[in-house]
């Protein structure tokens, strides 16, 4: 069968022939893959930089997808840490890590949306006690996960939703997705801090896809401008596109009621992530969230990898 194969962490995967794998465990089945999303998480799997990565090569990338199981059901599946990923004509799926989808579901849209939507869905439902009416700042709102976070926060009953991001056009487009205000992160750090501090001074929850210096600057800005420093502020670290480390001022943790948590594999147990799949898949299938996706044939996987523009989510279709 054909698969995307990573043979070196320095080069993109290429489409190659590999032997078809055989199920080994009682709940494992061979699934015909229909669509697998090319998420940042998959890129970091393929370049060996994700915190779950091992040195094992070759590997087939892809952490989730939509496929047809031997019993004929259409399923969304999440794979464990494995070298037999989703970007292949067939892959091994543990049925307990999958959810049956309605036949009318669009596999490409579902494969595109589940990972970026899970980021905020799980963060708000599993890492904080999120209450309707609370105000949410999405830091790094112009990416696929950020755009989803705006919609998920709105869907879960947020009060004000503020989106902060760099590029003007996707930032302006956030209003259609449900933001009450947007903040440009473009410009001198002092100006950005001023804008952010004013717009998000009453935030209750921050969903942070950036980390790095922008997160440290934003934290300082929000705390400095807070009307009531005793009002809880929960900062959920979800992504790190602006840098793997951030210099958090110690005063931030003393001068305000700041709680810093992370959300991802490990900080949320696998059983909790799996428990969220059916509800989120149902919402995505009924069209509750908008996502821009484009299908790329498996044969073109190498070109898809080289296209790193942060726009529509690429979905590999074997
Ligand atoms: N923990 C989880 O459960 C989880 C789940 C999904 C994703 N994530 C993580 O979340 C992050 C974002 O994922 P994604 O799906 O949204 O990726 P994406 O669609 O590729 O978008 C990335 C966005 O990051 C923005 N960006 C990059 N560097 C920036 C900087 N220095 N300042 C401001 N914005 C910057 C880009 O902004 P421009 O528009 O300005 O170019 C782009 O819109 C990744 O780190 C991913 O691994 C975590």
């Amino acid at each position: 069968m054909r698969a995307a194969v990573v043979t070196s962490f320095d080069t993109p995967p290429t489409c190659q022939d590999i032997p078809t794998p055989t199920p080994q465990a009682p709940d494992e089945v061979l699934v015909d893959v229909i669509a697998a999303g090319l998420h940042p998480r998959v890129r970091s799997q393929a370049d060996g930089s994700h915190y779950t990565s091992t040195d094992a090569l070759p590997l087939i990338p892809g952490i989730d997808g939509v496929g047809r199981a031997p019993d004929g059901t259409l399923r969304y599946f999440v794979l464990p840490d494995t070298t037999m990923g989703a970007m292949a004509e067939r892959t091994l799926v543990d049925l307990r890590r999958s959810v049956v989808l309605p036949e009318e579901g669009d596999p490409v849209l579902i494969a595109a949306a589940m990972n970026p939507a899970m980021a905020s869905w799980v963060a708000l439902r599993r890492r904080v006690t999120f209450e309707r009416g609370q105000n949410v700042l999405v830091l790094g709102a112009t990416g696929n996960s950020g755009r989803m976070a705006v919609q998920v926060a709105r869907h879960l009953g947020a009060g004000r939703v503020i989106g902060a991001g760099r590029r003007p056009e996707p930032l302006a487009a956030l209003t259609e997705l449900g933001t009450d205000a947007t903040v440009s992160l473009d410009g001198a750090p002092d100006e950005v801090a001023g804008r952010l501090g004013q717009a998000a001074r009453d935030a209750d929850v921050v969903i942070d896809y950036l980390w790095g210096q922008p997160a440290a600057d934003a934290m300082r800005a929000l705390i400095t401008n807070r009307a009531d420093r005793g009002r809880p502020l929960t900062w959920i670290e979800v992504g790190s596109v602006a840098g793997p480390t951030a210099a958090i001022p110690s005063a931030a943790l003393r001068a305000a009621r700041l709680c810093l948590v992370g959300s991802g594999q490990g900080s949320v147990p696998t059983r909790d992530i799996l428990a969220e799949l059916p509800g989120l898949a149902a919402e995505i299938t009924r069209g509750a969230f908008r996502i821009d996706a484009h299908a790329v044939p498996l044969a073109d996987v190498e070109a898809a990898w080289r296209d790193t523009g942060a726009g529509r989510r690429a979905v590999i279709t074997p």
Side-chain angles (χ1 to χ4, degrees), residues 38-44 50-51 63 112 114-120 122-123 139-148 164-168 170-171 185-186 208-211 214 237-243 262-265 267-268 273 308-313:
L38 176 40
H39 320 298
R41 168 74 179 79
V42 180
R43 288 184 183 278
S44 64
H50 194 259
Y51 62 84
I63 57 160
M114 281 297 283
N115 172 269
M118 279 296 269
S120 47
V122 167
L139 197 58
T142 53
N144 284 284
S145 296
R147 293 198 296 271
M148 273 293 181
R166 210 167 48 167
R167 277 189 306 134
L171 192 61
L185 297 177
D186 199 17
D208 179 3
Y209 295 98
L210 300 181
W211 207 235
E237 205 299 298
V238 184
S240 52
V241 291
S263 182
Q265 271 178 277
S267 57
V268 184
I273 293 177
T308 52
R312 296 178 300 163
R313 175 63 31 100

Side-chain angles (χ1 to χ4, degrees), residues 17-260:
D17 283 316
I18 64 162
T20 302
T22 312
Q24 302 292 333
D27 287 301
E28 207 168 53
V29 296
L30 192 62
V31 161
D32 290 326
V33 179
I34 299 171
L38 176 40
H39 320 298
R41 168 74 179 79
V42 180
R43 288 184 183 278
S44 64
Q45 173 194 32
D47 68 18
S49 66
H50 194 259
Y51 62 84
T52 61
S53 292
T54 66
D55 290 337
L57 286 176
L59 74 81
I60 316 304
I63 57 160
D64 68 343
V66 175
R68 184 74 63 188
D71 65 0
T73 51
L74 186 68
R75 286 175 182 264
Y76 169 75
F77 57 84
V78 184
L79 298 179
D81 296 327
T82 173
T83 53
M84 185 58 240
M87 292 185 174
E89 288 179 304
R90 287 177 282 284
T91 196
L92 296 174
V93 169
D94 181 334
L95 288 174
R96 295 166 302 180
R97 302 176 67 105
S98 73
V99 51
V100 176
L101 299 169
E103 278 303 313
E104 63 271 23
D106 178 338
V108 171
L109 282 185
I110 293 166
M114 281 297 283
N115 172 269
M118 279 296 269
S120 47
W121 181 274
V122 167
L124 289 178
R125 286 172 54 88
R126 295 283 171 169
R127 291 301 279 141
V128 295
T129 310
F130 185 65
E131 290 167 15
R132 296 185 79 78
Q134 288 190 322
N135 302 326
V136 176
L137 167 66
V138 180
L139 197 58
T142 53
N144 284 284
S145 296
R147 293 198 296 271
M148 273 293 181
V150 167
Q151 300 176 76
V152 166
R154 186 54 75 217
H155 184 81
L156 296 178
R160 277 171 60 74
V161 179
I162 300 135
R166 210 167 48 167
R167 277 189 306 134
E169 301 95 75
L171 192 61
L174 290 177
T175 310
E176 285 172 38
L177 299 181
T179 51
D180 299 289
T182 56
V183 179
S184 171
L185 297 177
D186 199 17
D190 282 356
E191 290 169 17
V192 173
R195 287 194 291 268
L196 207 48
Q198 283 308 311
R201 63 207 300 259
D202 293 329
D204 298 297
V205 175
V206 177
I207 307 177
D208 179 3
Y209 295 98
L210 300 181
W211 207 235
Q213 194 59 42
D217 291 347
M219 210 175 276
R220 195 178 291 109
L222 258 62
I223 286 165
T224 310
N225 286 277
R226 216 148 172 75
D228 175 7
R229 291 196 186 185
R231 177 179 179 150
L233 172 63
T234 307
W235 202 283
I236 319 178
E237 205 299 298
V238 184
S240 52
V241 291
T245 57
I248 305 302
S250 67
L253 291 155
R254 283 180 279 138
R257 205 155 161 212
L258 174 66
C259 177
L260 182 56

